[in-house]
């Protein structure tokens, strides 16, 4: 048997597998379809790739993922490996994919290197991620992930397609300028 399935070929923020290998699929449908089979054998599914925010993590969990990989989300924390540097007045950290030329110089390169914004300590960032997930469940009227998965499997969890206009309305809009601070950091 297997202990779990990791789903997400080429959907990560630093992945180019879909371009290089012509292989890959939309992450949420891949997770959903794998969960349909894995659930029959009580095998957990890990969503790996495309988790750009807690909203993306919630969507993956709503599709049945048992957990999510958060590579780029956690890459900017103090405790993650990488060198900090300043560019354009911002503190950035070097970040590269496992299949980039820096990580796998002898393999077929299917990833890139880049930089992520400093997010401070994991001790400040993790409570923000946790609370965001709780708020997302609360807004859905669902008390916990067990209930979320139960509703997915019994068909009572409802998903809606959103138009481009609805997606625009769901983000900050109609301001001349704004600043975003994801969480309060006491540094």
């Amino acid at each position: 048997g297997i202990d779990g399935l990791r789903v997400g070929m080429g959907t990560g923020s630093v992945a180019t597998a879909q371009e290089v290998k012509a292989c890959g699929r939309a992450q949420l449908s891949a997770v959903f379809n794998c969960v349909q089979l894995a659930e029959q054998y009580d095998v957990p599914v890990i969503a790996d790739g495309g988790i750009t925010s807690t909203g993306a993590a919630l969507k993956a969990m709503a599709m049945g993922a048992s957990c999510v990989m958060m590579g780029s989300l956690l890459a900017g924390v103090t405790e993650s490996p990488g060198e900090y540097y300043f560019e354009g007045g911002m503190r950035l950290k070097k970040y590269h994919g496992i299949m980039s030329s820096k990580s796998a110089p002898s393999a077929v390169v299917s990833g890139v290197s880049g930089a992520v914004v400093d997010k401070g300590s994991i001790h400040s960032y993790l409570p923000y991620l946790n609370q965001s997930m709780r708020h997302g469940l609360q807004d859905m009227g669902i008390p916990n992930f067990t209930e979320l998965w139960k509703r997915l499997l019994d068909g009572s969890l409802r998903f809606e397609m959103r138009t481009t206009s609805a997606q625009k309305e769901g983000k900050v809009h109609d301001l001349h300028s704004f600043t975003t601070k994801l969480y309060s950091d006491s540094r």
Side-chain angles (χ1 to χ4, degrees):
I2 60 171
D3 295 324
L5 292 173
R6 188 176 128 220
V7 178
M9 184 178 293
T11 59
S13 66
V14 290
T16 59
Q18 291 191 29
E19 293 176 56
V20 174
K21 302 173 188 175
C23 183
R25 171 176 201 164
Q27 179 67 348
L28 290 179
S29 61
V31 168
F32 179 76
N33 287 298
C34 288
V35 163
Q36 297 308 301
L37 180 61
E39 180 268 332
Q40 296 172 29
Y41 300 95
D42 200 29
V43 173
V45 171
I46 304 163
D48 182 13
I51 308 300
T52 58
S53 65
T54 52
L58 272 168
K59 289 175 199 169
M61 300 292 275
M63 288 291 154
S66 305
C67 62
V68 297
M69 302 282 281
M70 299 176 124
S72 63
L73 276 181
L74 299 179
V77 298
T78 307
E79 294 80 3
S80 69
E83 300 172 30
Y84 280 113
Y85 65 97
F86 286 90
E87 184 178 296
M90 293 186 80
R91 188 173 186 219
L92 305 172
K93 185 178 254 193
K94 291 181 182 179
Y95 177 55
H96 51 267
I98 195 160
M99 293 305 292
S100 69
S101 60
K102 292 200 185 263
S103 294
S106 62
V108 173
V109 175
S110 57
V112 299
S113 295
V116 291
V117 175
D118 175 20
K119 292 182 177 144
S121 173
I122 189 78
H123 300 288
S124 297
Y125 192 51
L126 212 48
Y128 158 75
L129 295 174
N130 186 355
Q131 195 61 28
S132 294
M133 299 288 276
R134 289 175 189 261
H135 280 275
L137 288 171
Q138 177 182 336
D139 288 351
M140 287 188 260
I142 298 175
N144 53 48
F145 288 116
T146 303
E147 181 66 20
L148 178 71
W149 297 320
K150 177 180 167 270
R151 291 185 191 184
L152 172 69
L153 296 173
D154 73 15
S156 65
L157 184 62
R158 187 172 137 191
F159 295 90
E160 293 183 356
M161 298 290 286
R162 291 178 21 178
T163 64
T164 304
S165 295
Q167 291 176 37
K168 182 181 176 189
E169 290 169 358
K171 297 179 179 175
V172 176
H173 59 88
D174 297 333
L175 296 176
H176 175 269
S177 61
F178 67 93
T179 55
T180 301
K181 184 153 177 80
L182 294 179
Y183 63 96
S184 177
D185 188 3
S186 59
R187 289 184 291 150

